[in-house]
Amino acid sequence: MDDCREKRRRCTKLRVSTDNNDMEKMMHREIERQRRQEMASLYASLRSLLPLHFIQGKRSTSDQVNEAVNYITYLEKKIKELSLRRDELMLLSRGTPLDDSKDEMETMNHVVVRQCLVGVEIVFSSRSCRGQPRLSSVLQVLSENGLCLLNSISSIVDDRLIYTLQAE
């Protein structure tokens, strides 16, 4: 009889320990499932931020992360290039004109270069009575720096031509 009681105790202890193990396993599975769902959501979010040409076709998660790294590197390089172009244009706007003649200095005496949403905005003015303004030289500098003219507005105010150029 003692043997039966002993066996019952062991079975009860075994059941309790297996119940605890089952609960721990279930909790671990649930936590792991939630982690996988969160990771899938984060990968989907990352994928949605990438341009289509970086994520063409069905790719593994590691490929998508690698393409995200490539895209970030591309953007950093583009930012550096645009910053250098902006700095060059700022130096050109502060420097003296290419032709040091007095008429040239009087013709174009105000230049502002600033960053805008689409690239660079250049505003300059010149006296309309002093002959042809140097719009062509500004366009040449834009072309040499690889910038494309997006928009150009000109107006006359108090005998001055004011040009506003947007370039990308």
Side-chain angles (χ1 to χ4, degrees):
M1 196 137 172
D2 286 333
D3 284 338
C4 285
R5 284 184 190 165
E6 189 63 34
K7 284 183 182 178
R8 281 186 203 151
R9 281 187 204 145
R10 282 189 213 151
C11 287
T12 306
K13 286 181 181 178
L14 189 59
R15 266 188 251 140
V16 169
S17 67
T18 56
D19 287 346
N20 284 341
N21 285 341
D22 288 344
M23 286 298 288
E24 286 177 14
K25 286 180 182 179
M26 285 177 32
M27 286 180 63
H28 178 71
R29 284 183 195 141
E30 180 63 24
I31 290 169
E32 186 62 22
R33 185 183 66 79
Q34 288 175 353
R35 186 192 67 79
R36 285 191 308 268
Q37 285 178 342
E38 184 178 356
M39 291 298 289
S41 171
L42 291 171
Y43 284 129
S45 176
L46 178 65
R47 195 172 41 251
S48 71
L49 295 173
L50 295 175
L52 290 178
H53 66 274
F54 277 93
I55 55 169
Q56 290 174 345
K58 190 172 183 178
R59 296 192 170 180
S60 68
T61 304
S62 62
D63 286 344
Q64 292 171 7
V65 171
N66 190 35
E67 287 302 320
V69 169
N70 291 341
Y71 182 57
I72 291 168
T73 304
Y74 164 78
L75 288 176
E76 287 174 338
K77 181 180 174 186
K78 194 74 171 168
I79 288 170
K80 286 179 183 176
E81 288 174 6
L82 291 174
S83 293
L84 287 173
R85 287 183 190 165
R86 182 196 62 215
D87 293 344
E88 288 173 2
L89 290 172
M90 292 292 276
L91 286 174
L92 286 172
S93 72
R94 289 187 198 127
T96 60
L98 298 175
D99 182 9
D100 288 336
S101 68
K102 188 174 182 179
D103 290 339
E104 182 75 19
M105 291 178 76
E106 289 177 7
T107 301
M108 188 183 316
N109 56 6
H110 183 73
V111 178
V112 176
V113 179
R114 60 181 166 242
Q115 195 171 2
C116 65
L117 291 175
V118 293
V120 177
E121 182 178 66
I122 303 162
V123 180
F124 67 94
S125 64
S126 63
R127 293 201 181 274
S128 59
C129 64
R130 293 282 185 189
Q132 190 71 2
R134 295 303 304 237
L135 177 61
S136 61
S137 62
V138 173
L139 293 175
Q140 182 179 358
V141 169
L142 289 176
S143 177
E144 288 170 357
N145 286 292
L147 296 171
C148 298
L149 183 65
L150 298 176
N151 190 13
S152 173
I153 301 171
S154 62
S155 57
I156 299 175
V157 177
D158 295 333
D159 197 32
R160 294 186 71 74
L161 285 170
I162 301 174
Y163 294 95
T164 303
L165 307 174
Q166 288 183 343
E168 178 180 54

